Amino acid sequence: MKFGLLKDIKIGEFRTIATPAEVNAIVGDGHEVYVQRGAGEGAGFPDESYVKEGAKLLDTMEEIYATCDLVTKVKEIEPHEYPLLRENQIVLTCIHPAAHPEEVQALLDSKCIAFTAEDAHRYGSPNCEAAGKQGALMGLESLQSIHGGKGKFVNGLGGAPGVKALVLGGGTVGRAVTSVLHALGAWVTVMDVNVGCLRDIGKQFNEEVNTMISNRYNIQKLLPEIDVVYNCVKWPKDATDFMITREMVRSMEKGSVIVDISNDVGAIETFHETTHDDPRYIEEGVVHYCVSNIPGSIAQSTSIAYSASLLPHFRSILNNGVAEACVRDGFLRRSLTTYKGYLTHEETSAIQNRPWIRPEDILGIADRKLDMAPPATGTKSENFIKK
């Protein structure tokens, strides 16, 4: 098969989803690899490093889409790419389908086979770890007086106390944030709805961080004394209330900071997405850092980790075909988003009120012994396609 690596074009995005190491493995399996010029340069991988491992360079995205059976990149498919999608072509990238109905419609109209990468990770996405660790530093930077923050140093100075941080969510992102803050000596409180998760966090950090159940009462009570809040919660897209209201933001001291790593609309009432070019704004006296692709700022480290995590999926699809790859890996199967004109993503069905069909049914593998994976989200849909 022909594997194609696109250059990401989102503003402030420097990552790549395949480094020369992945090209070496894919070429070694007997496949052809085509790389758009400049695809890896932002992450420190020049074109020549791909050629050395057996890749062929193409100048444009149009050539990649026209040539390759499997096309991949890091971020969402942009509108001017929609006409380039082809029937039966395989696409693997971060689609975030539930939040992007136009993108989903383009995938359906093209009759391509699309996987959304963010749902394909068995051990959590390296992007989540990167967003948490780098996001922790961005929050501390935002606290600096030069950015409108209150000017506190992370672990304090002689006679001056350190930073009090609140981490909302104890998953991969939240633990990554906590690891950096804890190492630097901040006073950290982690909130989650799962007491088992909180126990694990306590053990992980030698009971040197505070843990609390996450609810409106506890958040509201704690916010006035918190210097920086990190939102690491995957907020339900159909939620009708805010986790942090404008009034709660107003209760924080002037110059405090909110870092919304999750970037889910509806979690924080004062949220709007920002970019690396203009990352901060001040609302209700609080500095907000709401960049959607924080991992792009540490492009080389993230690219190496992210590419390595996805290589098994690339190789399985290329070597075994889509159906067999989905039999062997439940996490890949649950990430199947569209298949030849059919929606196969449950959360998207529920949020966008579109009929869907289970991946195992459309692929004809329901009677096989399948590798199992938990649902990607708790969102359910009974709006099945009638066949």
Side-chain angles (χ1 to χ4, degrees):
M1 293 179 70
K2 296 177 180 179
F3 176 91
L5 174 63
L6 289 164
K7 179 179 180 180
D8 271 86
I9 54 177
K10 184 170 182 173
I11 295 173
E13 185 53 71
F14 303 99
R15 289 171 291 175
T16 182
I17 203 170
T19 74
E22 285 67 51
V23 171
N24 176 278
I26 293 168
V27 170
D29 286 343
H31 305 287
E32 297 178 45
V33 175
Y34 295 85
V35 174
Q36 185 181 350
R37 290 185 186 275
E41 286 183 351
F45 303 106
D47 290 340
E48 295 74 20
S49 64
Y50 289 99
V51 173
K52 184 179 179 181
E53 302 305 328
K56 300 174 180 137
L57 298 178
L58 295 176
D59 291 325
T60 66
M61 70 171 66
E62 287 82 2
E63 291 174 286
I64 294 288
Y65 276 109
T67 302
C68 298
D69 306 300
L70 169 58
V71 175
T72 189
K73 63 173 185 170
V74 176
K75 295 301 289 181
E76 299 88 358
I77 299 167
E78 301 288 339
H80 58 275
E81 296 177 78
Y82 296 166
L84 304 177
L85 295 164
R86 294 186 287 109
E87 185 172 357
N88 296 327
Q89 187 170 54
I90 306 166
V91 179
L92 195 158
T93 188
C94 285
I95 300 168
H96 300 290
H100 294 96
E102 291 183 1
E103 185 181 17
V104 170
Q105 190 59 54
L107 294 169
L108 291 170
D109 290 343
S110 72
K111 296 186 177 180
C112 73
I113 301 166
F115 292 91
T116 188
E118 68 273 10
D119 287 347
H121 301 284
R122 185 176 294 271
Y123 305 109
S125 172
N127 282 323
C128 294
E129 180 185 3
K133 288 185 173 180
Q134 185 65 13
L137 298 178
M138 296 304 195
L140 297 176
E141 183 184 18
S142 299
L143 268 176
Q144 294 177 11
S145 304
I146 57 175
H147 297 304
K150 59 174 65 173
K152 293 185 74 169
F153 186 66
V154 55
N155 61 359
L157 305 172
V163 166
K164 290 184 178 181
L166 172 60
V167 179
L168 297 170
T172 302
V173 178
R175 293 184 192 217
V177 171
T178 303
S179 70
V180 171
L181 297 177
H182 176 259
L184 293 175
W187 299 359
V188 185
T189 299
V190 182
M191 287 190 184
D192 198 278
V193 296
N194 185 329
V195 69
C197 168
L198 296 177
R199 287 196 187 108
D200 289 343
I201 287 171
K203 292 176 184 176
Q204 180 179 347
F205 296 102
N206 300 314
E207 310 301 344
E208 294 171 352
V209 301
N210 300 313
T211 60
M212 296 177 69
I213 292 295
S214 184
N215 56 41
R216 176 69 63 83
Y217 176 85
N218 283 340
I219 297 172
Q220 192 166 344
K221 184 177 180 181
L222 205 59
L223 279 182
E225 63 182 74
I226 292 297
D227 299 309
V228 55
V229 177
Y230 295 91
N231 175 31
C232 310
V233 174
K234 189 171 184 179
W235 197 244
K237 295 178 178 62
D238 54 353
T240 57
D241 58 343
F242 295 103
M243 179 173 61
I244 297 179
T245 65
R246 180 174 293 276
E247 182 180 355
M248 293 164 71
V249 173
R250 197 178 294 132
S251 75
M252 299 176 71
E253 285 188 354
K254 182 179 179 181
S256 299
V257 171
I258 292 175
V259 181
D260 196 337
I261 298 176
S262 292
N263 253 243
D264 285 328
V265 174
I268 299 173
E269 190 170 2
T270 51
F271 162 83
H272 69 255
E273 185 177 336
T274 61
T275 67
H276 289 295
D277 291 338
D278 188 16
R280 299 175 184 87
Y281 61 93
I282 297 176
E283 199 153 334
E284 303 296 350
V286 174
V287 181
H288 291 62
Y289 185 96
C290 303
V291 174
S292 62
N293 59 330
I294 292 174
S297 64
I298 48 171
Q300 185 170 108
S301 292
T302 309
S303 295
I304 292 170
Y306 189 44
S307 299
S309 73
L310 286 173
L311 177 61
H313 289 326
F314 295 152
R315 297 181 75 179
S316 187
I317 291 169
L318 292 167
N319 294 337
N320 304 310
V322 168
E324 184 61 30
C326 286
V327 169
R328 298 184 182 197
D329 196 309
F331 287 83
L332 180 65
R333 188 171 66 252
R334 77 179 191 182
S335 74
L336 186 65
T337 303
T338 65
Y339 186 83
K340 301 182 180 182
Y342 291 91
L343 179 67
T344 54
H345 196 261
E346 185 171 16
E347 183 188 31
T348 302
S349 169
I351 300 301
Q352 297 180 16
N353 194 28
R354 296 177 186 262
W356 77 298
I357 185 169
R358 297 189 313 159
E360 50 266 41
D361 293 330
I362 193 69
L363 293 172
I365 58 175
D367 59 344
R368 300 278 303 277
K369 184 178 180 180
L370 303 175
D371 176 69
M372 302 306 295
T377 73
T379 306
K380 301 296 181 184
S381 174
E382 299 296 325
N383 185 7
F384 291 109
I385 292 170
K386 304 295 190 295
K387 286 194 69 180

